[in-house]
Amino acid sequence: EAGVVQSPRYKIIEKKQPVAFWCNPISGHNTLYWYLQNLGQGPELLIRYENEEAVDDSQLPKDRFSAERLKGVDSTLKIQPAELGDSAVYLCASSLGQERAQYFGPGTRLTVL
Amino acid sequence: QKEVEQNSGPLSVPEGAIASLNCTYSDRVSQSFFWYRQYSGKSPELIMSIYSNGDKEDGRFTAQLNKASQYVSLLIRDSQPSDSATYLCAVNMNTGFQKLVFGTGTRLLVSP
């Protein structure tokens, strides 16, 4: 069974530029998550989807971050414009439900110059 | 008080020894708990989940949960150098919405 797929794996951009990350969850997993992980920290939730509905986006900086999950499968996370402080690893995860185990993709390492 | 607390380490153990990793959490009503292993430069990998008080064993790994003490631990028996990684404790909490809250991780070093 294929795991969570993310792309790109690495991205380097200048500040104020836009950037987008893509995620394809494990087949059959209705719940999809986007996390941000800084060095030496655990992942922090940005947004959770149940099918195509954003259930919890309370930690998503909505002035510059947006996300979508059309058709309840793939998801895209966008930052526009990027700031220096956005440099981090962006992780996508999926699960069969909120109480169930989450499985992570390989992540996208973003560097903002 | 942090929601999920772990000692950052490093925890150093010799090969073949038992490594004991500990985690405390703040939400008394949490019902699901997870341990993830994260190698440097890689994403977290699920190694154990536990939902009930007591012990759960899977190969060389044992997760222990004590809800009354709000404490969850991970034991790694016969530690190997390949177990050297950061171990993240994660707890499902109700913070308005249900969400998985991670500790900062404990770095484990297993020396040959």
Side-chain angles (χ1 to χ4, degrees):
Chain A
E1 180 182 283
V4 177
V5 179
Q6 288 188 249
S7 68
R9 294 293 310 278
Y10 306 91
K11 190 73 177 180
I12 301 174
I13 60 172
E14 300 277 341
K15 64 180 179 181
K16 301 185 182 180
Q17 294 300 305
V19 64
F21 314 123
W22 175 81
C23 173
N24 178 253
I26 292 172
S27 178
H29 282 194
N30 295 330
T31 309
L32 182 147
Y33 313 79
W34 284 102
Y35 287 90
L36 176 153
Q37 187 174 26
N38 286 304
L39 191 64
Q41 302 295 316
E44 297 173 26
L45 181 70
L46 290 172
I47 189 168
R48 169 167 68 101
Y49 281 93
E50 296 289 346
N51 298 303
E52 66 274 11
E53 181 183 359
V55 174
D56 180 5
D57 63 356
S58 57
Q59 301 303 310
L60 191 71
K62 298 180 183 64
D63 56 336
R64 298 184 299 106
F65 286 65
S66 65
E68 61 182 11
R69 192 184 184 196
L70 300 176
K71 301 181 180 179
V73 181
D74 294 1
S75 178
T76 302
L77 177 69
K78 298 178 181 179
I79 308 175
Q80 183 171 11
E83 297 179 353
L84 295 176
D86 296 331
S87 296
V89 176
Y90 291 82
L91 295 162
C92 180
S94 70
S95 72
L96 288 169
Q98 170 56 29
E99 290 282 343
R100 305 290 293 274
Q102 297 182 24
Y103 298 87
F104 285 85
T108 298
R109 182 175 298 276
L110 174 67
T111 302
V112 182
L113 302 176
Chain B
Q1 181 190 6
K2 292 183 180 178
E3 294 175 305
V4 178
E5 291 205 55
Q6 295 182 257
N7 188 317
S8 61
L11 172 66
S12 295
V13 300
E15 185 174 356
I18 296 175
S20 177
L21 305 162
N22 305 315
C23 172
T24 58
Y25 59 94
S26 60
D27 187 355
R28 289 185 172 276
V29 299
S30 292
Q31 296 294 323
S32 51
F33 307 83
F34 307 90
W35 283 98
Y36 287 84
R37 177 175 62 198
Q38 188 169 27
Y39 292 112
S40 180
K42 302 295 185 182
S43 62
E45 173 193 9
L46 179 73
I47 52 174
M48 290 286 285
S49 59
I50 186 166
Y51 300 89
S52 305
N53 273 332
D55 295 0
K56 179 181 178 183
E57 187 174 319
D58 184 0
R60 296 187 296 112
F61 299 99
T62 299
Q64 299 175 318
L65 175 60
N66 184 326
K67 291 184 181 179
S69 300
Q70 295 172 234
Y71 176 92
V72 58
S73 65
L74 180 70
L75 300 179
I76 306 174
R77 290 181 299 282
D78 188 24
S79 294
Q80 301 296 309
S82 59
D83 294 326
S84 298
T86 296
Y87 289 81
L88 297 165
C89 172
V91 179
N92 244 321
M93 292 189 172
N94 193 331
T95 58
F97 292 96
Q98 275 272 329
K99 73 175 185 180
L100 197 60
V101 178
F102 286 82
T104 55
T106 297
R107 187 176 171 213
L108 174 66
L109 297 176
V110 182
S111 54

